[in-house]
Amino acid sequence: MKMNLKDFIKDKMLLSCLLLFGVLTIEIFLLAYPFGTFIKVYIPVIIILLYITGISIEYFTKKRFYKGLESTLNELDDKYLINEIIKEPNFMEGKILKSTLEQTDKSMLEHVNQYKQKQENYKEYIELWIHEVKIPIAASKLIIENNKNQITKSIDEELTKIEDYTEQALYYARSSTVEKDYYIKKIVLKDVVNESIKRNKNVLIHNRASVHTHDLELEVNTDSKWIVFILNQLIGNSIKYKKQDENLVMELYAKQGKENVVLYMKDNGIGIKQDEAAKVFEKGFTGTNGRLIGKKSTGIGLYLCENLCNKLGIRIELNSVQNEGCEVCLVFPKSSFTDI
Amino acid sequence: MKKILIIEDDEKLRTELAIFLNNNGYKAECLECFNNTIEDILRMYPDLILLDINLPGVDGEYICKKIRKESDMGIIIVTSRDNELDELVSINYGADHYITKPFNIHILLAKINSLLRRACNNDTKDKINVKDFILNMSNCTITKDDKTIDLTRNEYKILKYLIENRGKIVSREDMMDCLWESESFIDDNTLSVNITRLRTKLEELGLQDLIETKRGQGYILKGENEDEFKGFYKR
């Protein structure tokens, strides 16, 4: 809502009418008595002029304040901080406005903090829970290691799935809180890629996939655990959306750019429809593929990946042609921000 | 044989860990009571301890510090916390390695192996003597009667795996698993090709029947007699 002349005049309408009435009354009196023409004209004119001056000053003072308010509001991203920035106005309505804003801001802040705290508590609980559940998973995997056979191998696959889902839950909980749970250090892409492939080796071998890696000796500055998690999600997707009648072929390699290092992950799966490609990173997006193959998709995986990449300053892109596979790029910037 | 002491409060985990380590050539023991951990460790004097940092009522990091002060034994900290800062602190306290649960058991084994080899000051054996031929680990070659043939990385890994599992039939899946663990991500066809090539090379050395195919089960190194594999590398 902007301040404009029309509204201002409308507000002053009552006062102006009363003044006009008053001036008219005075004029009638003046006309009834033998005053000089000069007085008969001078007095009403002075009164009206003084009045106009008065409301003009008021108009311009207020206009300046509200214009400043409007432009500051437009520039601010966090608009709720407006009250901290504007100067104390010197007219009553302005003062009342500022004081009211102060109180509403405080109340809303308390309200928001309650939710922040709740979320923080929940995240802590999830982290605790995940650490607890890791113990029986580790024990189970060890038991399987000591008693390897077809049955236990099959159970091992399922256990790995459980591990993957708990990890996804952990990163989801971390991604939505404000604190930075990451630890940036120099890593070699080859190490994280190999770790991720080995993590998925059972299901990859089972699906007769072949994986080619090359040119991964490049270094980047990032959190290795988060990258391994992201790669796990991407590899999982490649496996899920591979062609039924063709063996999965994956290629992972990296290229050094001028300002960045790019990690490429290509597969020969069923690909993604052109019009859906832009939406894959949206939360809950399952797309035609997700429903076609009959594989239940939570729609969280890629959303989480993009979220985490944003936190780490990495750009993630997906290129695909339907039936010709998918290519995902992770672009690691080389900037002074991330250099250690 | 090297002695490893497992300090972990989850009973199943420590039992299975002990079984696994015993199966892999170590003598593994577990602590069941944690009232006198430091005294117990020093009394038993293992070559390496697997220490869980989250022991109830006990400060794992304090133990680490104390043990490191008194001895040179290998210390690997095992925990379900994955905070990087904990790793730094633990290393500062004298731990040699830090590994989080659930851990890749092969990585843990590799760390134990490397730690104990180093501590023992034994040079890693770089030759495996098998029957009448030698597998050279340092340059991936195989030598028989003065003739040496180069092996590719994959061929070398396949042969080594067969030798390590001598007397047992090795399934293709297990072989693939082993290769992938060492970062050769080959597929089924490539495995077949590699084995064929390996056999061709072995033929040049007169070892054409060394690798026997057991239909439907896998492969086995011919000469299942344990005695024939004496001189095998010992930890």
Side-chain angles (χ1 to χ4, degrees):
Chain A
M1 163 112 194
K2 292 208 273 203
M3 174 181 182
N4 62 31
L5 196 56
K6 226 168 74 177
D7 289 327
F8 183 75
I9 291 177
K10 245 196 333 198
D11 273 354
K12 299 290 173 203
M13 197 50 83
L14 178 63
L15 194 62
S16 307
C17 289
L18 286 174
L19 182 92
L20 226 54
F21 182 69
V23 167
L24 240 64
T25 313
I26 292 177
E27 184 66 15
I28 290 174
F29 271 117
L30 288 178
L31 287 173
Y33 283 89
F35 286 111
T37 324
F38 181 64
I39 292 189
K40 288 182 196 164
V41 172
Y42 185 66
I43 290 184
V45 166
I46 286 277
I47 294 176
I48 292 177
L49 272 177
L50 282 173
Y51 175 68
I52 291 181
T53 309
I55 60 171
S56 295
I57 292 177
E58 187 186 333
Y59 175 74
F60 285 115
T61 312
K62 290 193 176 166
K63 176 98 183 167
R64 193 168 52 164
F65 173 75
Y66 287 123
K67 209 157 181 225
L69 185 70
E70 186 196 336
S71 73
T72 311
L73 200 64
N74 283 338
E75 279 169 14
L76 267 182
D77 283 321
D78 297 330
K79 296 196 192 298
Y80 54 88
L81 292 171
I82 187 76
N83 206 29
E84 309 293 324
I85 300 188
I86 54 173
K87 280 199 289 251
E88 181 80 25
N90 51 14
F91 57 96
M92 182 186 67
E93 287 88 354
K95 291 196 166 111
I96 294 178
L97 175 70
K98 198 162 196 295
S99 139
T100 308
L101 277 178
E102 223 172 271
Q103 289 180 59
T104 53
D105 283 354
K106 188 156 171 263
S107 148
M108 186 52 101
L109 198 69
E110 278 169 18
H111 192 72
V112 167
N113 277 340
Q114 261 177 38
Y115 282 101
K116 261 196 198 168
Q117 192 57 47
K118 274 194 186 152
Q119 189 169 55
E120 190 56 43
N121 291 345
Y122 192 67
K123 174 187 158 239
E124 275 173 27
Y125 169 72
I126 292 285
E127 297 234 11
L128 201 68
W129 179 85
I130 286 179
H131 287 137
E132 291 298 313
V133 89
K134 274 184 183 180
I135 297 176
I137 291 179
S140 304
K141 286 202 152 202
L142 254 183
I143 295 174
I144 289 176
E145 184 68 35
N146 291 334
N147 297 281
K148 269 196 167 139
N149 60 48
Q150 280 297 94
I151 298 173
T152 58
K153 250 205 162 164
S154 180
I155 297 178
D156 194 50
E157 270 178 39
E158 299 304 307
L159 272 176
T160 307
K161 285 188 198 162
I162 296 177
E163 239 184 309
D164 286 343
Y165 280 123
T166 56
E167 215 187 32
Q168 197 183 64
L170 179 67
Y171 280 100
Y172 183 72
R174 283 183 179 168
S175 76
S176 56
T177 56
V178 185
E179 291 120 63
K180 301 171 184 3
D181 284 297
Y182 48 80
Y183 180 73
I184 305 279
K185 63 174 192 254
K186 227 188 245 304
I187 60 165
V188 180
L189 282 175
K190 189 165 191 219
D191 295 336
V192 287
V193 167
N194 282 342
E195 191 180 327
S196 185
I197 296 173
K198 283 194 275 191
R199 176 84 186 264
N200 291 285
K201 71 173 153 68
N202 285 334
V203 70
L204 282 167
I205 294 176
H206 190 80
N207 280 286
R208 319 196 73 183
S210 70
V211 178
H212 306 281
T213 63
H214 59 93
D215 298 313
L216 288 170
E217 302 294 333
L218 297 168
E219 283 183 341
V220 294
N221 291 320
T222 190
D223 182 306
S224 64
K225 292 210 171 70
W226 285 37
I227 296 297
V228 170
F229 172 76
I230 291 169
L231 288 173
N232 280 341
Q233 297 296 300
L234 296 176
I235 291 179
N237 276 357
S238 285
I239 296 170
K240 233 202 292 193
Y241 299 117
K242 75 174 187 79
K243 288 194 182 143
Q244 294 285 55
D245 51 352
E246 242 178 76
N247 282 342
L248 174 64
V249 177
M250 276 207 296
E251 194 190 346
L252 291 111
Y253 60 96
K255 272 204 202 141
Q256 173 97 50
K258 241 199 315 199
E259 300 286 318
N260 54 40
V261 172
V262 187
L263 175 62
Y264 295 87
M265 202 185 106
K266 276 197 182 136
D267 71 45
N268 65 341
I270 57 180
I272 296 179
K273 276 215 293 242
Q274 194 68 355
D275 53 356
E276 290 185 352
K279 298 201 255 163
V280 287
F281 293 110
E282 282 171 25
K283 188 167 169 188
F285 177 80
T286 46
T288 333
N289 291 344
R291 280 166 271 148
L292 247 184
I293 300 199
K295 304 236 168 109
K296 272 205 300 216
S297 174
T298 55
I300 292 279
L302 281 178
Y303 163 76
L304 201 49
C305 285
E306 192 187 45
N307 204 316
L308 295 174
C309 282
N310 285 339
K311 284 210 161 187
L312 293 171
I314 301 171
R315 198 173 74 229
I316 180 169
E317 285 171 9
L318 190 143
N319 301 313
S320 175
V321 178
Q322 195 169 26
N323 280 324
E324 282 181 27
C326 211
E327 179 191 75
V328 180
C329 308
L330 293 179
V331 185
F332 298 84
K334 272 177 95 62
S335 70
S336 52
F337 175 72
T338 51
D339 266 345
I340 298 175
Chain B
M1 230 193 316
K2 301 284 181 178
K3 191 154 86 163
I4 299 181
L5 185 59
I6 301 169
I7 303 159
E8 157 68 55
D9 64 318
D10 186 287
E11 197 188 316
K12 245 195 212 155
L13 200 55
R14 65 171 178 245
T15 318
E16 294 299 322
L17 206 44
I19 296 176
F20 177 73
L21 291 173
N22 284 328
N23 285 345
N24 279 277
Y26 293 101
K27 188 163 180 304
E29 278 171 32
C30 303
L31 264 194
E32 315 213 334
C33 161
F34 306 107
N35 292 331
N36 300 306
T37 326
I38 296 181
E39 288 90 358
D40 287 338
I41 296 173
L42 292 173
R43 185 173 37 90
M44 297 169 89
Y45 218 82
D47 296 292
L48 180 144
I49 56 173
L50 289 176
L51 177 59
D52 182 344
I53 270 222
N54 306 104
L55 289 172
V58 181
D59 185 356
E61 287 174 4
Y62 173 71
I63 295 182
C64 189
K65 223 161 102 176
K66 256 335 238 337
I67 296 291
R68 179 47 79 233
K69 248 209 288 198
E70 307 278 339
S71 89
D72 254 341
M73 66 175 75
I75 304 179
I76 296 183
I77 289 187
V78 178
T79 179
S80 50
R81 277 194 242 150
D82 66 354
N83 193 339
E84 290 269 1
L85 251 33
D86 281 332
E87 178 167 2
L88 281 171
V89 167
S90 310
I91 304 286
N92 278 339
Y93 282 164
D96 297 288
H97 283 300
Y98 180 96
I99 192 164
T100 55
K101 290 185 239 186
F103 39 70
N104 182 320
I105 194 68
H106 299 288
I107 293 183
L108 179 62
L109 191 60
K111 285 188 175 175
I112 294 176
N113 288 343
S114 82
L115 202 57
L116 288 178
R117 266 204 294 269
R118 225 182 20 223
C120 202
N121 268 330
N122 262 348
D123 270 335
T124 50
K125 279 204 137 202
D126 59 3
K127 286 197 208 321
I128 305 179
N129 294 291
V130 190
K131 270 209 296 192
D132 46 358
F133 68 90
I134 300 174
L135 183 67
N136 299 303
M137 293 161 76
S138 48
N139 55 7
C140 296
T141 58
I142 177 170
T143 309
K144 178 175 191 260
D145 305 327
D146 294 334
K147 200 165 171 210
T148 303
I149 296 201
D150 281 328
L151 296 173
T152 65
R153 225 170 39 127
N154 287 343
E155 289 162 4
Y156 164 77
K157 285 179 193 173
I158 293 172
L159 188 54
K160 181 158 173 276
Y161 188 61
L162 282 166
I163 294 176
E164 282 171 1
N165 289 281
R166 78 276 190 226
K168 288 192 275 194
I169 301 176
V170 170
S171 71
R172 284 175 72 89
E173 266 215 20
D174 285 340
M175 217 181 271
M176 294 261 278
D177 203 82
C178 162
L179 284 163
W180 278 58
E181 265 308 314
S182 59
E183 295 170 14
S184 289
F185 307 122
I186 62 172
D187 66 3
D188 210 50
N189 290 336
T190 316
L191 179 67
S192 306
V193 167
N194 274 307
I195 292 189
T196 312
R197 282 213 208 110
L198 179 60
R199 279 178 161 151
T200 314
K201 288 188 181 174
L202 289 174
E203 208 178 306
E204 281 181 51
L205 291 177
L207 292 166
Q208 51 268 33
D209 297 321
L210 185 64
I211 302 176
E212 199 182 306
T213 309
K214 292 277 189 197
R215 291 221 77 190
Q217 293 173 65
Y219 304 96
I220 186 167
L221 215 60
K222 196 129 190 284
E224 288 137 60
N225 200 333
E226 286 269 321
D227 294 337
E228 293 184 17
F229 291 96
K230 281 234 180 76
F232 197 62
Y233 61 26
K234 282 211 183 64
R235 290 187 197 89

